Amino acid sequence: MSKNEGASAQGGVKHAVMNLTKAILLALALGLICGVAIHYLMPAGGLRDGLVEGVFYVIGQGFIRLLQMLVVPLVFCSIVCGAASIADLRTLGSVGIKALVWYLLTTAVAICIALSIGNLINPGLGVDMSSMVSSDVSSITENASNTSIADVLLNIIPKNPIGAMANGDMLPVIFFALMVGIVISLLKSRVETVHRFFDQFNEIMMKMTSMVMYVAPFGVFCLLARTFANIGFEAFLPMVKYMGGVLIALAVQCFVVYMILMVVFARINPLAWLKKFWSVMVFAFTTASSNATIPLNIETLDRKIGVDRTISSFTIPLGATINMDGTAIMQGVAVVFTAQLFGVPMGPVEYATVIATATLASIGTAGVPSVGLITLSMVFNSVGLPLEGIGLIMGIDRILDMCRTAVNITGDAVASTVIAKQEGYLDLDVLNDKGSDDGIEDYAEAL
């Protein structure tokens, strides 16, 4: 191939990938507009139900399932390859301990911020409960885990690794993958064929992910359109102060706490980092799934920020499983909201209990659907708050879930960047490259 042909091909790829990025953002805006228009302008009935619960539901959930299909094999292979590539087990141990401590501490900080902002704006005072419709919480509370901390820790070790993969239980999958990677690292050349297999299978999963990304605009449009077609704006009005408290706390955690931590512990320009990572935040917002964002998170950290996959393939899946800062923020504001709404007194002891319970619950309920509401029921039980409070916030939880997912995955990425810098696995040349600052388009480069 001549130079001109090569340059032309590269230009074609750049053009295609920029169109993909713009298409996803356009789908985000059009989905919101379309959903609101359907909610207010299209009469209820067969046509509307067929469109919203038929076409939009099938395409949106189909896209989510495509991403979920990738998660377990991609996470398993990524962690195996990452652990196997770290020859020094002391380095692996250092990365694991730093990640775990970071995730637990930032979750505790997130709850403290949420409780502080909640008490500052008093979201439950002056709320007219007659205008609020309480939803049935039985489907949530019956899923709440009552297991002890000992059981939570023991459940990390899988009785059947294949069963854990089939059920999507990510903590046991991560544990088993880590063990396989460590053994491959210890045996070295004696299992070179196995090591090569996981490397190549990981490449297959990354290629598959890049292909799935091309249907992202359609999935994003249908997910947003269905959400706003169902809820409109009426559901938000009685809950404005509660939603405002959650959104303010999320913004403080994401754009103040994380960025300060990055500057202090890694000496990295937070604005440059955010510019390169913003597309992952948008994608997490539209899908409302930390697990679905794992592939894009790892890819963007590698190609745009310079975090070696050796680190991110371990810290990102682990963070998506146990690091729920955005969820913790929702729980903190919800505690203040419900306590004020029902007149339940809360003192320092109760707030300390909320911080401890919510931090530990973020580990204990990993991989369970509606995890934010499930862990919230555990937190309410720990301080004696009425579970009816959960029913009041269920109607508007979808939009908040989208926002807190974006914060969750940002926290995972910040932790990965800081740990990579400290362990010498951060390529500053990639981080400082001002060529392309978007993460999504990299999936097109392999096609």
Side-chain angles (χ1 to χ4, degrees):
M1 180 184 288
S2 68
K3 281 188 176 181
N4 289 337
E5 288 174 333
S8 176
Q10 270 195 328
V13 170
K14 287 257 182 204
H15 179 70
V17 299
M18 287 305 294
N19 284 342
L20 175 62
T21 301
K22 292 177 181 177
I24 290 176
L25 295 176
L26 181 62
L28 176 67
L30 291 179
L32 191 153
I33 294 170
C34 180
V36 171
I38 290 173
H39 181 81
Y40 291 106
L41 302 179
M42 183 177 287
L47 179 60
R48 174 171 166 174
D49 292 343
L51 182 62
V52 175
E53 300 302 328
V55 177
F56 290 166
Y57 176 77
V58 170
I59 296 177
Q61 291 303 310
F63 173 60
I64 292 295
R65 289 198 177 202
L66 281 173
L67 292 170
Q68 291 172 335
M69 172 187 73
L70 302 171
V71 169
V72 171
L74 179 62
V75 168
F76 183 78
C77 290
S78 294
I79 290 183
V80 169
C81 294
S85 64
I86 302 179
D88 186 359
L89 294 183
R90 287 177 297 182
T91 301
L92 181 61
S94 174
V95 170
I97 292 173
K98 285 181 179 179
L100 185 60
V101 171
W102 180 285
Y103 291 150
L104 292 177
L105 287 180
T106 54
T107 300
V109 169
I111 282 205
C112 292
I113 290 173
L115 292 175
S116 300
I117 292 177
N119 280 287
L120 183 64
I121 68 173
N122 297 316
L125 298 182
V127 177
D128 181 11
M129 291 185 63
S130 65
S131 63
M132 302 170 66
V133 179
S134 177
S135 302
D136 179 22
V137 300
S138 60
S139 61
I140 296 297
T141 57
E142 70 184 9
N143 289 324
S145 174
N146 293 315
T147 56
S148 65
I149 298 300
D151 289 332
V152 169
L153 296 176
L154 286 174
N155 287 338
I156 296 175
I157 305 174
K159 295 179 181 178
N160 180 355
I162 306 302
M165 293 180 190
N167 294 327
D169 296 332
M170 295 310 299
L171 276 179
V173 170
I174 289 172
F175 180 87
F176 183 66
L178 186 60
M179 293 295 294
V180 172
I182 290 173
V183 172
I184 290 176
S185 178
L186 291 173
L187 294 177
K188 300 185 187 310
S189 59
R190 284 181 285 174
V191 290
E192 185 176 343
T193 302
V194 176
H195 193 176
R196 192 183 309 116
F197 166 79
F198 280 113
D199 281 336
Q200 293 174 345
F201 195 77
N202 193 45
E203 288 296 320
I204 291 174
M205 295 310 304
M206 286 296 180
K207 176 72 172 182
M208 193 180 298
T209 301
S210 71
M211 296 170 65
V212 169
M213 284 301 298
Y214 273 102
V215 302
F218 303 100
V220 166
F221 172 83
C222 291
L223 288 169
L224 266 292
R226 179 173 180 263
T227 295
F228 283 93
N230 285 328
I231 64 178
F233 289 121
E234 291 93 340
F236 298 118
L237 297 180
M239 307 289 288
V240 167
K241 289 179 71 177
Y242 165 74
M243 293 185 65
V246 174
L247 293 175
I248 291 171
L250 288 173
V252 170
Q253 181 76 5
C254 188
F255 300 112
V256 178
V257 174
Y258 289 157
M259 299 305 107
I260 290 176
L261 290 174
M262 190 182 299
V263 171
V264 171
F265 290 101
R267 305 297 182 193
I268 290 174
N269 182 345
L271 294 180
W273 188 93
L274 279 172
K275 188 178 181 183
K276 295 196 173 208
F277 192 74
W278 73 275
S279 59
V280 188
M281 299 172 68
V282 171
F283 186 76
F285 175 83
T286 56
T287 61
S289 172
S290 295
N291 280 345
T293 314
I294 287 174
L296 181 60
N297 207 341
I298 294 175
E299 190 79 3
T300 302
L301 286 173
D302 176 28
R303 298 200 180 197
K304 293 299 172 187
I305 297 177
V307 176
D308 196 291
R309 290 178 189 267
T310 301
I311 300 296
S312 61
S313 62
F314 174 70
T315 55
I316 294 301
L318 180 65
T321 307
I322 70 171
N323 185 42
M324 300 181 183
D325 295 351
T327 302
I329 285 171
M330 178 275 289
Q331 293 168 352
V333 178
V335 163
V336 177
F337 169 74
T338 304
Q340 293 177 347
L341 199 63
F342 290 93
V344 179
M346 295 283 289
V349 174
E350 285 76 19
Y351 285 133
T353 302
V354 168
I355 294 171
T357 305
T359 302
L360 294 175
S362 68
I363 300 176
T365 56
V368 182
S370 301
V371 66
L373 296 176
I374 292 171
T375 54
L376 182 58
S377 68
M378 298 171 65
V379 173
F380 276 21
N381 281 328
S382 70
V383 290
L385 290 176
L387 295 178
E388 288 77 8
I390 299 177
L392 299 177
I393 66 175
M394 284 177 65
I396 50 90
D397 187 65
R398 168 68 184 182
I399 189 67
L400 292 180
D401 190 20
M402 296 162 72
C403 296
R404 63 181 182 253
T405 301
V407 173
N408 287 343
I409 61 96
T410 303
D412 301 341
V414 170
S416 301
T417 303
V418 171
I419 293 171
K421 176 69 181 298
Q422 294 179 344
E423 296 292 333
Y425 285 91
L426 180 66
D427 189 339
L428 293 175
D429 291 334
V430 174
L431 179 63
N432 295 326
D433 180 15
K434 297 182 180 180
S436 174
D437 292 322
D438 186 75
I440 294 176
E441 79 270 14
D442 278 321
Y443 281 100
E445 294 180 4
L447 293 179

